[in-house]
Amino acid sequence: MILFGYRNIKLKSYSYTAKELGLPSDNNSKIVIEYRQNYFHLFFIPFFPLNKFLAIEDSEEVGELSKNLENKIKSLIEKKTKAPWYTYLGLILIFIYIYHLF
C-alpha cells in the first residue's frame, strides 16, 4: 500500500479587523488570515511544494476565502514567501541516496 497525497503548512499569519478588510461588522474583533502552502508527500515524507493559498484561521479547521475577499487581502500583503526547505525533503533524500551509490 502506497501512502501519498498532499497536505498544507502555514507560512505566515496576518491579523486584520473586519473594518480593514471592508467587511460589515459591529464589533472590532480580529480576523486571522493565513498564507498556506500545499505539498505532495509519499509515505508522509514531503517531496515538493504545490500551490500557495490564503485561508481564514478557525479554531477547528481552515477555510478557504472567497475570490472577492482574497483579492482585497492580496492587495494588503506581500506574497514573496518562499517554500520551506523541508517541503523538498523527499527529493533531497533521493539525491543523497543516488550520490552515495556512485
Side-chain angles (χ1 to χ4, degrees):
M1 181 173 174
I2 297 177
L3 301 174
F4 64 93
Y6 69 92
R7 292 185 176 195
N8 62 59
I9 55 172
K10 178 173 67 171
L11 298 176
K12 283 191 176 181
S13 182
Y14 303 93
S15 182
Y16 297 104
T17 62
K19 186 177 181 179
E20 288 176 315
L21 296 176
L23 299 173
S25 178
D26 294 336
N27 58 11
N28 203 16
S29 63
K30 293 285 185 179
I31 299 172
V32 178
I33 307 294
E34 294 180 342
Y35 195 46
R36 301 187 72 82
Q37 170 86 51
N38 283 332
Y39 63 88
F40 173 79
H41 67 84
L42 180 64
F43 294 110
F44 302 106
I45 299 171
F47 264 76
F48 52 86
L50 299 171
N51 63 325
K52 294 178 183 174
F53 63 96
L54 293 169
I56 296 176
E57 181 187 57
D58 191 288
S59 60
E60 295 179 7
E61 61 184 52
V62 175
E64 290 196 30
L65 299 173
S66 68
K67 290 294 179 189
N68 188 21
L69 184 58
E70 186 174 344
N71 291 334
K72 287 180 185 179
I73 294 170
K74 282 181 182 178
S75 67
L76 294 173
I77 64 172
E78 291 183 351
K79 288 183 32 172
K80 296 181 181 177
T81 308
K82 294 182 180 179
W85 67 270
Y86 52 84
T87 57
Y88 295 98
L89 186 61
L91 296 176
I92 293 169
L93 292 174
I94 289 172
F95 177 76
I96 291 171
Y97 178 74
I98 292 172
Y99 180 76
H100 285 290
L101 287 177
F102 298 107

mmCIF file of all heavy atoms in Angstrom, residues 43-86:
data_model
loop_
_atom_site.group_PDB
_atom_site.id
_atom_site.type_symbol
_atom_site.label_atom_id
_atom_site.label_comp_id
_atom_site.label_asym_id
_atom_site.label_seq_id
_atom_site.Cartn_x
_atom_site.Cartn_y
_atom_site.Cartn_z
ATOM 1 N N PHE A 43 4.616 8.394 1.488
ATOM 2 C CA PHE A 43 4.877 7.796 2.800
ATOM 3 C C PHE A 43 5.068 8.881 3.856
ATOM 4 O O PHE A 43 5.935 8.784 4.714
ATOM 5 C CB PHE A 43 6.091 6.857 2.771
ATOM 6 C CG PHE A 43 5.874 5.639 1.937
ATOM 7 C CD1 PHE A 43 6.533 5.474 0.739
ATOM 8 C CD2 PHE A 43 4.990 4.655 2.344
ATOM 9 C CE1 PHE A 43 6.335 4.345 -0.041
ATOM 10 C CE2 PHE A 43 4.787 3.519 1.576
ATOM 11 C CZ PHE A 43 5.448 3.372 0.383
ATOM 12 N N PHE A 44 4.304 9.943 3.734
ATOM 13 C CA PHE A 44 4.301 11.083 4.657
ATOM 14 C C PHE A 44 5.633 11.824 4.701
ATOM 15 O O PHE A 44 5.908 12.563 5.633
ATOM 16 C CB PHE A 44 3.850 10.652 6.056
ATOM 17 C CG PHE A 44 2.485 10.035 6.033
ATOM 18 C CD1 PHE A 44 2.326 8.669 6.179
ATOM 19 C CD2 PHE A 44 1.366 10.814 5.837
ATOM 20 C CE1 PHE A 44 1.062 8.090 6.127
ATOM 21 C CE2 PHE A 44 0.110 10.258 5.787
ATOM 22 C CZ PHE A 44 -0.045 8.891 5.933
ATOM 23 N N ILE A 45 6.471 11.658 3.680
ATOM 24 C CA ILE A 45 7.697 12.433 3.526
ATOM 25 C C ILE A 45 7.422 13.495 2.468
ATOM 26 O O ILE A 45 7.083 13.158 1.334
ATOM 27 C CB ILE A 45 8.878 11.544 3.086
ATOM 28 C CG1 ILE A 45 9.149 10.466 4.137
ATOM 29 C CG2 ILE A 45 10.125 12.388 2.835
ATOM 30 C CD1 ILE A 45 10.152 9.427 3.693
ATOM 31 N N PRO A 46 7.555 14.773 2.795
ATOM 32 C CA PRO A 46 7.301 15.827 1.799
ATOM 33 C C PRO A 46 8.271 15.722 0.627
ATOM 34 O O PRO A 46 9.470 15.540 0.827
ATOM 35 C CB PRO A 46 7.539 17.127 2.569
ATOM 36 C CG PRO A 46 7.623 16.768 3.995
ATOM 37 C CD PRO A 46 7.945 15.314 4.088
ATOM 38 N N PHE A 47 7.750 15.811 -0.611
ATOM 39 C CA PHE A 47 8.599 15.717 -1.790
ATOM 40 C C PHE A 47 8.787 17.058 -2.477
ATOM 41 O O PHE A 47 9.888 17.426 -2.818
ATOM 42 C CB PHE A 47 8.042 14.691 -2.779
ATOM 43 C CG PHE A 47 8.663 13.351 -2.629
ATOM 44 C CD1 PHE A 47 8.312 12.515 -1.584
ATOM 45 C CD2 PHE A 47 9.630 12.918 -3.513
ATOM 46 C CE1 PHE A 47 8.885 11.286 -1.413
ATOM 47 C CE2 PHE A 47 10.225 11.683 -3.355
ATOM 48 C CZ PHE A 47 9.850 10.853 -2.313
ATOM 49 N N PHE A 48 7.698 17.767 -2.745
ATOM 50 C CA PHE A 48 7.836 19.066 -3.383
ATOM 51 C C PHE A 48 6.598 19.904 -3.093
ATOM 52 O O PHE A 48 5.513 19.388 -2.890
ATOM 53 C CB PHE A 48 8.069 18.947 -4.900
ATOM 54 C CG PHE A 48 7.071 18.089 -5.616
ATOM 55 C CD1 PHE A 48 5.879 18.613 -6.068
ATOM 56 C CD2 PHE A 48 7.340 16.754 -5.854
ATOM 57 C CE1 PHE A 48 4.957 17.819 -6.728
ATOM 58 C CE2 PHE A 48 6.424 15.953 -6.518
ATOM 59 C CZ PHE A 48 5.237 16.497 -6.953
ATOM 60 N N PRO A 49 6.781 21.234 -3.065
ATOM 61 C CA PRO A 49 5.647 22.116 -2.791
ATOM 62 C C PRO A 49 4.736 22.238 -4.008
ATOM 63 O O PRO A 49 5.173 22.101 -5.140
ATOM 64 C CB PRO A 49 6.308 23.451 -2.460
ATOM 65 C CG PRO A 49 7.640 23.404 -3.081
ATOM 66 C CD PRO A 49 8.041 21.955 -3.144
ATOM 67 N N LEU A 50 3.472 22.496 -3.723
ATOM 68 C CA LEU A 50 2.488 22.711 -4.778
ATOM 69 C C LEU A 50 2.067 24.180 -4.744
ATOM 70 O O LEU A 50 2.920 25.046 -4.752
ATOM 71 C CB LEU A 50 1.302 21.759 -4.587
ATOM 72 C CG LEU A 50 1.638 20.270 -4.634
ATOM 73 C CD1 LEU A 50 0.443 19.422 -4.227
ATOM 74 C CD2 LEU A 50 2.099 19.878 -6.017
ATOM 75 N N ASN A 51 0.807 24.458 -4.656
ATOM 76 C CA ASN A 51 0.322 25.832 -4.706
ATOM 77 C C ASN A 51 0.290 26.500 -3.335
ATOM 78 O O ASN A 51 0.294 25.851 -2.303
ATOM 79 C CB ASN A 51 -1.072 25.865 -5.327
ATOM 80 C CG ASN A 51 -2.077 25.112 -4.489
ATOM 81 O OD1 ASN A 51 -1.761 24.111 -3.871
ATOM 82 N ND2 ASN A 51 -3.289 25.599 -4.457
ATOM 83 N N LYS A 52 0.259 27.838 -3.342
ATOM 84 C CA LYS A 52 0.093 28.628 -2.126
ATOM 85 C C LYS A 52 -1.311 29.219 -2.160
ATOM 86 O O LYS A 52 -1.854 29.499 -3.227
ATOM 87 C CB LYS A 52 1.117 29.760 -2.080
ATOM 88 C CG LYS A 52 2.538 29.272 -1.962
ATOM 89 C CD LYS A 52 3.494 30.439 -1.976
ATOM 90 C CE LYS A 52 4.918 29.924 -1.943
ATOM 91 N NZ LYS A 52 5.890 31.009 -2.086
ATOM 92 N N PHE A 53 -1.911 29.404 -0.981
ATOM 93 C CA PHE A 53 -3.248 29.965 -0.926
ATOM 94 C C PHE A 53 -3.469 30.695 0.388
ATOM 95 O O PHE A 53 -2.743 30.505 1.350
ATOM 96 C CB PHE A 53 -4.316 28.882 -1.149
ATOM 97 C CG PHE A 53 -4.340 27.810 -0.084
ATOM 98 C CD1 PHE A 53 -5.229 27.906 0.985
ATOM 99 C CD2 PHE A 53 -3.494 26.719 -0.146
ATOM 100 C CE1 PHE A 53 -5.264 26.922 1.962
ATOM 101 C CE2 PHE A 53 -3.519 25.734 0.818
ATOM 102 C CZ PHE A 53 -4.407 25.838 1.875
ATOM 103 N N LEU A 54 -4.483 31.549 0.398
ATOM 104 C CA LEU A 54 -4.886 32.273 1.594
ATOM 105 C C LEU A 54 -6.057 31.545 2.240
ATOM 106 O O LEU A 54 -6.915 31.004 1.548
ATOM 107 C CB LEU A 54 -5.311 33.699 1.234
ATOM 108 C CG LEU A 54 -4.208 34.610 0.721
ATOM 109 C CD1 LEU A 54 -4.810 35.887 0.159
ATOM 110 C CD2 LEU A 54 -3.221 34.931 1.812
ATOM 111 N N ALA A 55 -6.100 31.556 3.572
ATOM 112 C CA ALA A 55 -7.178 30.891 4.297
ATOM 113 C C ALA A 55 -7.482 31.662 5.570
ATOM 114 O O ALA A 55 -6.641 32.392 6.088
ATOM 115 C CB ALA A 55 -6.785 29.462 4.636
ATOM 116 N N ILE A 56 -8.696 31.503 6.067
ATOM 117 C CA ILE A 56 -9.094 32.105 7.335
ATOM 118 C C ILE A 56 -8.847 31.088 8.432
ATOM 119 O O ILE A 56 -9.275 29.941 8.333
ATOM 120 C CB ILE A 56 -10.573 32.518 7.317
ATOM 121 C CG1 ILE A 56 -10.809 33.598 6.275
ATOM 122 C CG2 ILE A 56 -11.012 32.999 8.696
ATOM 123 C CD1 ILE A 56 -12.256 33.998 6.134
ATOM 124 N N GLU A 57 -8.137 31.528 9.488
ATOM 125 C CA GLU A 57 -7.871 30.625 10.607
ATOM 126 C C GLU A 57 -9.133 30.470 11.435
ATOM 127 O O GLU A 57 -9.785 31.438 11.784
ATOM 128 C CB GLU A 57 -6.745 31.177 11.482
ATOM 129 C CG GLU A 57 -6.416 30.278 12.643
ATOM 130 C CD GLU A 57 -5.420 30.912 13.580
ATOM 131 O OE1 GLU A 57 -5.698 32.012 14.073
ATOM 132 O OE2 GLU A 57 -4.386 30.303 13.814
ATOM 133 N N ASP A 58 -9.457 29.241 11.750
ATOM 134 C CA ASP A 58 -10.617 28.917 12.567
ATOM 135 C C ASP A 58 -10.146 27.981 13.662
ATOM 136 O O ASP A 58 -9.154 27.298 13.508
ATOM 137 C CB ASP A 58 -11.692 28.250 11.695
ATOM 138 C CG ASP A 58 -13.014 28.136 12.415
ATOM 139 O OD1 ASP A 58 -13.089 27.293 13.329
ATOM 140 O OD2 ASP A 58 -13.951 28.848 12.073
ATOM 141 N N SER A 59 -10.872 27.933 14.761
ATOM 142 C CA SER A 59 -10.429 27.094 15.875
ATOM 143 C C SER A 59 -10.436 25.603 15.528
ATOM 144 O O SER A 59 -9.653 24.839 16.056
ATOM 145 C CB SER A 59 -11.311 27.341 17.095
ATOM 146 O OG SER A 59 -12.650 27.032 16.786
ATOM 147 N N GLU A 60 -11.301 25.183 14.612
ATOM 148 C CA GLU A 60 -11.395 23.764 14.290
ATOM 149 C C GLU A 60 -10.813 23.404 12.931
ATOM 150 O O GLU A 60 -10.244 22.349 12.755
ATOM 151 C CB GLU A 60 -12.851 23.312 14.353
ATOM 152 C CG GLU A 60 -13.425 23.400 15.749
ATOM 153 C CD GLU A 60 -14.874 22.969 15.792
ATOM 154 O OE1 GLU A 60 -15.396 22.485 14.779
ATOM 155 O OE2 GLU A 60 -15.484 23.126 16.852
ATOM 156 N N GLU A 61 -10.967 24.271 11.943
ATOM 157 C CA GLU A 61 -10.491 23.959 10.611
ATOM 158 C C GLU A 61 -10.107 25.236 9.884
ATOM 159 O O GLU A 61 -10.427 26.326 10.324
ATOM 160 C CB GLU A 61 -11.539 23.191 9.808
ATOM 161 C CG GLU A 61 -12.831 23.951 9.601
ATOM 162 C CD GLU A 61 -13.873 23.129 8.882
ATOM 163 O OE1 GLU A 61 -14.131 22.003 9.323
ATOM 164 O OE2 GLU A 61 -14.410 23.633 7.890
ATOM 165 N N VAL A 62 -9.416 25.088 8.771
ATOM 166 C CA VAL A 62 -9.005 26.224 7.961
ATOM 167 C C VAL A 62 -9.904 26.268 6.738
ATOM 168 O O VAL A 62 -9.981 25.307 5.982
ATOM 169 C CB VAL A 62 -7.523 26.081 7.542
ATOM 170 C CG1 VAL A 62 -7.124 27.195 6.612
ATOM 171 C CG2 VAL A 62 -6.643 26.066 8.771
ATOM 172 N N GLY A 63 -10.593 27.383 6.549
ATOM 173 C CA GLY A 63 -11.489 27.525 5.409
ATOM 174 C C GLY A 63 -10.882 28.425 4.352
ATOM 175 O O GLY A 63 -10.160 29.357 4.661
ATOM 176 N N GLU A 64 -11.169 28.139 3.083
ATOM 177 C CA GLU A 64 -10.645 28.974 2.012
ATOM 178 C C GLU A 64 -11.493 30.236 1.883
ATOM 179 O O GLU A 64 -12.663 30.258 2.226
ATOM 180 C CB GLU A 64 -10.624 28.201 0.701
ATOM 181 C CG GLU A 64 -9.584 27.100 0.705
ATOM 182 C CD GLU A 64 -9.290 26.586 -0.680
ATOM 183 O OE1 GLU A 64 -9.397 27.372 -1.637
ATOM 184 O OE2 GLU A 64 -8.951 25.406 -0.786
ATOM 185 N N LEU A 65 -10.868 31.284 1.337
ATOM 186 C CA LEU A 65 -11.516 32.575 1.196
ATOM 187 C C LEU A 65 -12.298 32.664 -0.109
ATOM 188 O O LEU A 65 -11.979 31.987 -1.085
ATOM 189 C CB LEU A 65 -10.465 33.686 1.192
ATOM 190 C CG LEU A 65 -9.619 33.819 2.442
ATOM 191 C CD1 LEU A 65 -8.525 34.842 2.206
ATOM 192 C CD2 LEU A 65 -10.468 34.240 3.605
ATOM 193 N N SER A 66 -13.283 33.537 -0.129
ATOM 194 C CA SER A 66 -13.973 33.819 -1.381
ATOM 195 C C SER A 66 -13.040 34.628 -2.272
ATOM 196 O O SER A 66 -12.116 35.285 -1.797
ATOM 197 C CB SER A 66 -15.266 34.593 -1.115
ATOM 198 O OG SER A 66 -14.954 35.891 -0.644
ATOM 199 N N LYS A 67 -13.249 34.603 -3.573
ATOM 200 C CA LYS A 67 -12.372 35.300 -4.518
ATOM 201 C C LYS A 67 -12.374 36.805 -4.285
ATOM 202 O O LYS A 67 -11.348 37.464 -4.392
ATOM 203 C CB LYS A 67 -12.774 34.986 -5.963
ATOM 204 C CG LYS A 67 -12.471 33.575 -6.367
ATOM 205 C CD LYS A 67 -10.983 33.342 -6.384
ATOM 206 C CE LYS A 67 -10.683 31.911 -6.758
ATOM 207 N NZ LYS A 67 -9.291 31.582 -6.587
ATOM 208 N N ASN A 68 -13.534 37.386 -3.958
ATOM 209 C CA ASN A 68 -13.622 38.816 -3.727
ATOM 210 C C ASN A 68 -12.784 39.235 -2.522
ATOM 211 O O ASN A 68 -12.007 40.188 -2.584
ATOM 212 C CB ASN A 68 -15.093 39.214 -3.519
ATOM 213 C CG ASN A 68 -15.293 40.705 -3.470
ATOM 214 O OD1 ASN A 68 -14.462 41.462 -3.953
ATOM 215 N ND2 ASN A 68 -16.395 41.116 -2.884
ATOM 216 N N LEU A 69 -12.918 38.509 -1.419
ATOM 217 C CA LEU A 69 -12.158 38.804 -0.212
ATOM 218 C C LEU A 69 -10.677 38.511 -0.417
ATOM 219 O O LEU A 69 -9.819 39.245 0.063
ATOM 220 C CB LEU A 69 -12.703 37.996 0.964
ATOM 221 C CG LEU A 69 -12.080 38.271 2.330
ATOM 222 C CD1 LEU A 69 -12.218 39.738 2.705
ATOM 223 C CD2 LEU A 69 -12.746 37.399 3.377
ATOM 224 N N GLU A 70 -10.371 37.477 -1.167
ATOM 225 C CA GLU A 70 -8.977 37.127 -1.438
ATOM 226 C C GLU A 70 -8.272 38.245 -2.206
ATOM 227 O O GLU A 70 -7.122 38.581 -1.915
ATOM 228 C CB GLU A 70 -8.911 35.824 -2.222
ATOM 229 C CG GLU A 70 -7.507 35.303 -2.416
ATOM 230 C CD GLU A 70 -7.476 33.929 -3.063
ATOM 231 O OE1 GLU A 70 -8.516 33.251 -3.100
ATOM 232 O OE2 GLU A 70 -6.394 33.545 -3.534
ATOM 233 N N ASN A 71 -8.958 38.851 -3.169
ATOM 234 C CA ASN A 71 -8.366 39.951 -3.931
ATOM 235 C C ASN A 71 -8.108 41.166 -3.044
ATOM 236 O O ASN A 71 -7.101 41.854 -3.212
ATOM 237 C CB ASN A 71 -9.263 40.338 -5.106
ATOM 238 C CG ASN A 71 -9.287 39.265 -6.173
ATOM 239 O OD1 ASN A 71 -8.338 38.492 -6.304
ATOM 240 N ND2 ASN A 71 -10.367 39.197 -6.921
ATOM 241 N N LYS A 72 -8.995 41.443 -2.092
ATOM 242 C CA LYS A 72 -8.787 42.552 -1.163
ATOM 243 C C LYS A 72 -7.566 42.314 -0.285
ATOM 244 O O LYS A 72 -6.760 43.208 -0.061
ATOM 245 C CB LYS A 72 -10.007 42.751 -0.261
ATOM 246 C CG LYS A 72 -11.196 43.341 -0.949
ATOM 247 C CD LYS A 72 -12.338 43.498 0.032
ATOM 248 C CE LYS A 72 -13.582 43.980 -0.670
ATOM 249 N NZ LYS A 72 -14.710 44.117 0.255
ATOM 250 N N ILE A 73 -7.419 41.083 0.193
ATOM 251 C CA ILE A 73 -6.304 40.756 1.086
ATOM 252 C C ILE A 73 -4.989 40.742 0.315
ATOM 253 O O ILE A 73 -3.964 41.193 0.823
ATOM 254 C CB ILE A 73 -6.557 39.424 1.795
ATOM 255 C CG1 ILE A 73 -7.761 39.579 2.725
ATOM 256 C CG2 ILE A 73 -5.341 38.969 2.575
ATOM 257 C CD1 ILE A 73 -8.253 38.300 3.298
ATOM 258 N N LYS A 74 -4.997 40.253 -0.912
ATOM 259 C CA LYS A 74 -3.778 40.236 -1.713
ATOM 260 C C LYS A 74 -3.233 41.642 -1.927
ATOM 261 O O LYS A 74 -2.029 41.831 -2.028
ATOM 262 C CB LYS A 74 -4.025 39.561 -3.060
ATOM 263 C CG LYS A 74 -4.056 38.066 -2.982
ATOM 264 C CD LYS A 74 -4.269 37.465 -4.351
ATOM 265 C CE LYS A 74 -4.348 35.960 -4.267
ATOM 266 N NZ LYS A 74 -4.597 35.350 -5.577
ATOM 267 N N SER A 75 -4.129 42.621 -1.983
ATOM 268 C CA SER A 75 -3.665 43.997 -2.136
ATOM 269 C C SER A 75 -3.038 44.529 -0.847
ATOM 270 O O SER A 75 -2.279 45.486 -0.880
ATOM 271 C CB SER A 75 -4.823 44.903 -2.566
ATOM 272 O OG SER A 75 -5.782 44.996 -1.535
ATOM 273 N N LEU A 76 -3.317 43.905 0.305
ATOM 274 C CA LEU A 76 -2.773 44.355 1.580
ATOM 275 C C LEU A 76 -1.449 43.689 1.952
ATOM 276 O O LEU A 76 -0.672 44.238 2.725
ATOM 277 C CB LEU A 76 -3.781 44.084 2.709
ATOM 278 C CG LEU A 76 -5.092 44.855 2.668
ATOM 279 C CD1 LEU A 76 -6.028 44.335 3.745
ATOM 280 C CD2 LEU A 76 -4.849 46.332 2.842
ATOM 281 N N ILE A 77 -1.189 42.489 1.430
ATOM 282 C CA ILE A 77 0.008 41.747 1.856
ATOM 283 C C ILE A 77 0.948 41.509 0.689
ATOM 284 O O ILE A 77 0.562 41.594 -0.471
ATOM 285 C CB ILE A 77 -0.359 40.388 2.498
ATOM 286 C CG1 ILE A 77 -1.029 39.469 1.475
ATOM 287 C CG2 ILE A 77 -1.237 40.573 3.702
ATOM 288 C CD1 ILE A 77 -1.236 38.071 1.965
ATOM 289 N N GLU A 78 2.186 41.186 1.023
ATOM 290 C CA GLU A 78 3.163 40.773 0.027
ATOM 291 C C GLU A 78 3.184 39.254 -0.019
ATOM 292 O O GLU A 78 3.104 38.603 1.015
ATOM 293 C CB GLU A 78 4.554 41.275 0.396
ATOM 294 C CG GLU A 78 4.722 42.746 0.284
ATOM 295 C CD GLU A 78 6.155 43.162 0.585
ATOM 296 O OE1 GLU A 78 6.942 42.313 1.044
ATOM 297 O OE2 GLU A 78 6.460 44.318 0.361
ATOM 298 N N LYS A 79 3.297 38.708 -1.218
ATOM 299 C CA LYS A 79 3.309 37.245 -1.361
ATOM 300 C C LYS A 79 4.684 36.751 -1.789
ATOM 301 O O LYS A 79 4.814 35.903 -2.637
ATOM 302 C CB LYS A 79 2.255 36.817 -2.369
ATOM 303 C CG LYS A 79 0.865 36.964 -1.847
ATOM 304 C CD LYS A 79 -0.198 36.485 -2.772
ATOM 305 C CE LYS A 79 0.179 35.351 -3.639
ATOM 306 N NZ LYS A 79 -0.882 34.767 -4.409
ATOM 307 N N LYS A 80 5.728 37.291 -1.179
ATOM 308 C CA LYS A 80 7.084 36.881 -1.526
ATOM 309 C C LYS A 80 7.590 35.821 -0.562
ATOM 310 O O LYS A 80 8.774 35.736 -0.276
ATOM 311 C CB LYS A 80 8.007 38.095 -1.529
ATOM 312 C CG LYS A 80 7.633 39.106 -2.585
ATOM 313 C CD LYS A 80 8.561 40.277 -2.584
ATOM 314 C CE LYS A 80 8.130 41.267 -3.650
ATOM 315 N NZ LYS A 80 8.961 42.450 -3.654
ATOM 316 N N THR A 81 6.712 35.000 -0.061
ATOM 317 C CA THR A 81 7.075 33.954 0.883
ATOM 318 C C THR A 81 7.554 32.729 0.113
ATOM 319 O O THR A 81 6.866 32.243 -0.770
ATOM 320 C CB THR A 81 5.867 33.586 1.759
ATOM 321 O OG1 THR A 81 5.344 34.768 2.334
ATOM 322 C CG2 THR A 81 6.258 32.627 2.844
ATOM 323 N N LYS A 82 8.740 32.251 0.466
ATOM 324 C CA LYS A 82 9.296 31.077 -0.206
ATOM 325 C C LYS A 82 8.834 29.802 0.493
ATOM 326 O O LYS A 82 8.518 29.800 1.671
ATOM 327 C CB LYS A 82 10.816 31.141 -0.185
ATOM 328 C CG LYS A 82 11.385 32.278 -1.000
ATOM 329 C CD LYS A 82 12.888 32.253 -0.975
ATOM 330 C CE LYS A 82 13.448 33.396 -1.785
ATOM 331 N NZ LYS A 82 14.914 33.413 -1.752
ATOM 332 N N ALA A 83 8.854 28.715 -0.254
ATOM 333 C CA ALA A 83 8.513 27.405 0.317
ATOM 334 C C ALA A 83 9.631 26.965 1.256
ATOM 335 O O ALA A 83 10.805 27.136 0.947
ATOM 336 C CB ALA A 83 8.327 26.379 -0.790
ATOM 337 N N PRO A 84 9.300 26.408 2.423
ATOM 338 C CA PRO A 84 10.331 25.933 3.344
ATOM 339 C C PRO A 84 11.145 24.792 2.726
ATOM 340 O O PRO A 84 10.647 24.025 1.909
ATOM 341 C CB PRO A 84 9.543 25.420 4.548
ATOM 342 C CG PRO A 84 8.176 25.951 4.402
ATOM 343 C CD PRO A 84 7.961 26.235 2.958
ATOM 344 N N TRP A 85 12.396 24.674 3.155
ATOM 345 C CA TRP A 85 13.291 23.666 2.582
ATOM 346 C C TRP A 85 12.773 22.256 2.804
ATOM 347 O O TRP A 85 12.983 21.370 1.980
ATOM 348 C CB TRP A 85 14.703 23.812 3.143
ATOM 349 C CG TRP A 85 14.793 23.481 4.602
ATOM 350 C CD1 TRP A 85 14.639 24.334 5.644
ATOM 351 C CD2 TRP A 85 15.006 22.189 5.173
ATOM 352 N NE1 TRP A 85 14.745 23.666 6.835
ATOM 353 C CE2 TRP A 85 14.987 22.345 6.577
ATOM 354 C CE3 TRP A 85 15.226 20.923 4.651
ATOM 355 C CZ2 TRP A 85 15.170 21.281 7.454
ATOM 356 C CZ3 TRP A 85 15.419 19.868 5.519
ATOM 357 C CH2 TRP A 85 15.395 20.054 6.899
ATOM 358 N N TYR A 86 12.089 22.018 3.898
ATOM 359 C CA TYR A 86 11.676 20.646 4.210
ATOM 360 C C TYR A 86 10.528 20.158 3.338
ATOM 361 O O TYR A 86 10.202 18.980 3.363
ATOM 362 C CB TYR A 86 11.323 20.488 5.694
ATOM 363 C CG TYR A 86 10.346 21.480 6.247
ATOM 364 C CD1 TYR A 86 8.988 21.300 6.114
ATOM 365 C CD2 TYR A 86 10.793 22.622 6.908
ATOM 366 C CE1 TYR A 86 8.089 22.211 6.618
ATOM 367 C CE2 TYR A 86 9.906 23.538 7.424
ATOM 368 C CZ TYR A 86 8.552 23.328 7.273
ATOM 369 O OH TYR A 86 7.668 24.238 7.771
#
